[in-house]
Amino acid sequence: DTEVTQTPKHLVMGMTNKKSLKCEQHMGHRAMYWYKQKAKKPPELMFVYSYEKLSINESVPSRFSPECPNSSLLNLHLHALQPEDSALYLCASSPTTGLLYNEQFFGPGTRLTVL
Amino acid sequence: DQQVKQNSPSLSVQEGRISILNCDYTNSMFDYFLWYKKYPAEGPTFLISISSIKDKNEDGRFTVFLNKSAKHLSLHIVPSQPGDSAVYFCAAVNNSGYALNFGKGTSLLVTP
């Protein structure tokens, strides 16, 4: 299994809702990532988990809350989002962090719309 | 501040010809470079990479060239095929090994 899966594919939520994005991989990768991609822009890193511990938080607002319950799963909990948070949210994984292993495998993304 | 730049937003090439996609970077700490391909409604797919100790890496129809002194890399696709039509992102990793710094992408169209 060489896939990163993400659910849901599409999500529409109001600014007062609480929702979660889910990401799963079964490649034995120990590093997992959340990226945000706006239209016509490159993906921007949000969070990095390494061995289920949060390694990097790129100054992401607290309305985004990541969680790594185990080495295969990565969640992104969303609460009180703003319309400008509408974007494609990409999950990725790599065997580990570190230079020689940073070929990240991406999921298809969740298209989030905040009304 | 964009540390990885792809200055051509789009490129159109005839089937069978060579496609050359260019990428420049500003951070001399970048040690590892990757190219990703992205189709609409899909996540980026890893294509090919190159370490800063090399100047060329080849994989089938895809070759990446690195010119460290010019802080420039390029992806050559030959021969180009219509299925290669996609957005190509150049990405770089610094020696902390964590984040991929992406360029803005180049949209390649290969016409029959």
Side-chain angles (χ1 to χ4, degrees):
Chain A
D1 186 355
T2 57
E3 238 190 317
V4 176
T5 59
Q6 288 187 245
T7 53
K9 289 189 86 165
H10 300 275
L11 178 63
V12 179
M13 60 187 288
M15 289 191 282
T16 57
N17 291 157
K18 280 187 184 179
K19 296 284 184 184
S20 296
L21 310 184
K22 182 177 166 182
C23 173
E24 200 164 356
Q25 57 86 16
H26 295 287
M27 294 179 277
H29 289 176
R30 302 312 299 270
M32 296 186 78
Y33 311 76
W34 280 115
Y35 287 84
K36 172 182 177 179
Q37 186 176 19
K38 302 278 273 184
K40 298 195 191 308
K41 296 277 177 110
E44 292 178 3
L45 183 68
M46 299 174 72
F47 302 104
V48 180
Y49 272 83
S50 181
Y51 292 86
E52 293 110 73
K53 288 191 168 45
L54 183 63
S55 300
I56 290 187
N57 175 343
E58 290 284 349
S59 304
V60 180
S62 60
R63 57 186 184 268
F64 296 91
S65 174
E67 180 200 15
C68 190
N70 60 56
S71 60
S72 301
L73 274 177
L74 185 66
N75 298 321
L76 186 63
H77 302 297
L78 314 172
H79 175 52
L81 294 195
Q82 305 294 312
E84 60 264 28
D85 296 321
S86 299
L88 180 69
Y89 288 83
L90 292 162
C91 173
S93 71
S94 63
T96 183
T97 52
L99 198 59
L100 294 180
Y101 301 98
N102 216 355
E103 290 160 11
Q104 294 178 20
F105 294 78
F106 284 82
T110 293
R111 174 73 59 192
L112 174 68
T113 303
V114 182
L115 301 175
Chain B
D1 180 29
Q2 197 79 21
Q3 298 185 73
V4 178
K5 298 177 185 179
Q6 292 176 259
N7 291 320
S8 298
S10 62
L11 175 67
S12 183
V13 170
Q14 257 189 328
E15 183 178 6
R17 300 283 184 110
I18 183 170
S19 296
I20 300 177
L21 296 101
N22 293 306
C23 178
D24 297 292
Y25 61 97
T26 56
N27 189 340
S28 55
M29 302 299 285
F30 288 148
D31 269 14
Y32 194 63
F33 304 89
L34 308 94
W35 284 93
Y36 282 83
K37 175 179 176 180
K38 187 178 186 302
Y39 293 115
E42 292 185 14
T45 304
F46 169 73
L47 202 55
I48 193 169
S49 62
I50 188 166
S51 164
S52 60
I53 61 172
K54 293 187 167 186
D55 55 19
K56 178 182 172 182
N57 189 24
E58 202 168 343
D59 183 2
R61 296 185 298 114
F62 303 92
T63 303
V64 57
F65 294 92
L66 175 63
N67 182 333
K68 274 195 77 174
S69 59
K71 295 195 181 72
H72 177 83
L73 61 155
S74 60
L75 174 68
H76 293 212
I77 307 172
V78 56
S80 302
Q81 299 173 354
D84 296 329
S85 299
V87 177
Y88 288 79
F89 287 98
C90 171
V93 186
N94 65 18
N95 55 12
S96 76
Y98 281 110
L100 287 175
N101 294 270
F102 283 92
K104 288 189 175 181
T106 296
S107 179
L108 173 66
L109 177 65
V110 180
T111 56

